[in-house]
Amino acid sequence: MMDSKVIDILRERPIVIPRVLFNNYKRLNITEEELVVLIFIIDSGDKIIYNPELFVSGLGMDKYRAMQLINDLTMKNIIDVKVETNDAGKMEEYIYVDLVYSKLFNLLLDSDIDDKNEDNIEIFTVFEQELGRTISPMEVEKIREWLNDGISEDLIKEALREAVYKNARSINYINSILYSWKQKGIKTLQEARQEKQKFRNSKKAVEQVFDYNWLEDE
């Protein structure tokens, strides 16, 4: 028969943590050992007194190791340690976990953005292939900005090809092409190609005029 004390221990309230933390702690640059400490803090409340002895009794952890891990979590902006006046009027250190919730919120927000842009992954690959390099986060955001403004992928790719053709491989130049097309009311790939052909025909006509030998004109 099982000891009643053992049964009582097994019946203790389970530790509850956000699943998103458990699934994404590595993305927050948290080690497994730091996660254990963080879970203990969260389970103790959103605000607890900074007392390393709590981690000794609660986790069986060396006091100085616990202090080091708390410091590491603080340096990573996962938790915050503040000095405040307690009810007795004395200064006391408290651990807050608001920062980790803020980081988890941003993680969820980023995941939502990634999901919304999942269908646009191909365009980033095309840019890297055409430019011959990895595009920067700022360039990714600019491409997303074009897409959010309602510019089609086909039109963006055409502006990219035009920039490469002119050996002007920069986001700013591509943006100037798209802006020029927008000013002219060009919204489709066909309209863009017609405009390009029209410009090249006019340029060719001008070159022919300047190449004409007026001295031999009868």
Side-chain angles (χ1 to χ4, degrees):
M1 187 173 180
M2 293 181 64
D3 190 288
S4 60
K5 290 184 178 179
V6 174
I7 294 175
D8 289 340
I9 291 173
L10 295 174
R11 285 177 175 170
E12 283 185 0
R13 178 178 62 87
I15 293 176
V16 179
I17 63 166
R19 181 178 293 275
V20 65
L21 171 61
F22 186 78
N23 291 338
N24 295 280
Y25 72 92
K26 289 186 177 180
R27 293 179 64 187
L28 294 176
N29 194 29
I30 299 174
T31 67
E32 284 81 0
E33 199 174 14
E34 290 168 349
L35 178 63
V36 170
V37 171
L38 181 58
I39 290 173
F40 181 80
I41 294 172
I42 291 175
D43 185 60
S44 301
D46 293 337
K47 170 187 175 182
I48 67 170
I49 295 174
Y50 182 9
N51 181 2
E53 295 295 339
L54 292 174
F55 298 90
V56 175
S57 59
L59 295 175
M61 182 176 289
D62 177 77
K63 179 175 70 174
Y64 298 104
R65 181 56 183 162
M67 292 171 66
Q68 179 61 52
L69 292 169
I70 292 170
N71 182 66
D72 292 343
L73 289 169
T74 304
M75 295 297 293
K76 293 177 180 180
N77 290 319
I78 301 298
I79 61 173
D80 195 13
V81 178
K82 298 180 181 179
V83 179
E84 297 178 357
T85 305
N86 61 21
D87 295 337
K90 295 183 179 180
M91 303 301 290
E92 194 92 68
E93 283 188 306
Y94 292 91
I95 299 175
Y96 287 86
V97 295
D98 292 345
L99 289 175
V100 72
Y101 293 133
S102 178
K103 284 183 174 291
L104 289 173
F105 172 78
N106 289 330
L107 265 182
L108 290 172
L109 187 63
D110 288 343
S111 296
D112 185 50
I113 291 173
D114 289 342
D115 289 342
K116 289 178 180 177
N117 288 281
E118 192 174 22
D119 294 336
N120 305 130
I121 291 175
E122 181 199 354
I123 195 171
F124 302 134
T125 303
V126 171
F127 263 76
E128 292 186 335
Q129 290 173 344
E130 292 289 343
L131 298 179
R133 60 175 174 79
T134 302
I135 56 177
S136 69
M138 290 183 64
E139 289 172 326
V140 170
E141 286 306 312
K142 190 62 181 177
I143 296 169
R144 284 177 174 168
E145 183 181 315
W146 295 331
L147 293 167
N148 290 334
D149 285 343
I151 303 174
S152 70
E153 283 194 29
D154 287 339
L155 206 58
I156 294 172
K157 291 175 184 176
E158 189 67 16
L160 168 63
R161 283 189 284 266
E162 182 68 7
V164 172
Y165 174 78
K166 294 183 177 178
N167 199 28
R169 301 166 185 259
S170 75
I171 289 291
N172 287 337
Y173 191 82
I174 297 167
N175 189 61
S176 68
I177 294 173
L178 291 171
Y179 178 77
S180 174
W181 288 348
K182 182 179 179 180
Q183 292 296 101
K184 295 176 180 178
I186 296 172
K187 297 180 179 180
T188 67
L189 178 60
Q190 183 180 2
E191 291 172 342
R193 288 179 174 173
Q194 288 174 347
E195 175 64 22
K196 285 165 55 179
Q197 191 59 47
K198 178 182 174 183
F199 174 78
R200 284 170 185 160
N201 288 341
S202 63
K203 184 178 179 182
K204 185 176 181 180
V206 171
E207 290 173 349
Q208 288 175 344
V209 169
F210 281 100
D211 287 342
Y212 187 78
N213 191 341
W214 298 95
L215 295 177
E216 297 181 358
D217 186 6
E218 296 180 356

